[in-house]
Amino acid sequence: MNFPETAPNSPEAAPICSAKGCRAPAVWVLAWNNPKLHTPERRKTWLACDEHRAHLSDFLGLRGFLKDVVRFEEWEARER
């Protein structure tokens, strides 16, 4: 996941979008894996703001890598 290089508990430490050059807060988690490199249960993640969600999802989907798209809060709740 992308986190800015700031103090861990500062407001600026909020996760940011994975799109190149984007500094917007992450709203979505795109879970993916490359079946040529990863075991089926492994999930890598990209983060997306509302603006870049479709673009990043399309990029991963065209390659057959996209497995799930969930709101960031839901993903965090699953991880607890």
Side-chain angles (χ1 to χ4, degrees):
M1 290 192 193
N2 290 343
F3 292 88
E5 295 178 27
T6 58
N9 293 326
S10 72
E12 296 84 30
I16 60 168
C17 180
S18 298
K20 186 176 181 176
C22 185
R23 305 299 293 167
V27 178
W28 300 96
V29 175
L30 287 66
W32 64 277
N33 86 6
N34 180 339
K36 292 182 180 179
L37 302 175
H38 308 122
T39 58
E41 66 279 350
R42 178 157 182 207
R43 293 294 180 264
K44 308 259 311 167
T45 56
W46 281 359
L47 302 178
C49 62
D50 283 329
E51 181 181 348
H52 291 111
R53 177 184 154 205
H55 170 72
L56 294 173
S57 294
D58 290 347
F59 180 89
L60 292 169
L62 287 171
R63 289 155 180 80
F65 295 173
L66 187 62
K67 303 300 178 193
D68 201 6
V69 177
V70 297
R71 293 198 63 84
F72 184 80
E73 297 85 16
E74 181 183 336
W75 184 266
E76 288 287 290
R78 287 184 189 179
E79 296 296 307
R80 291 184 200 139

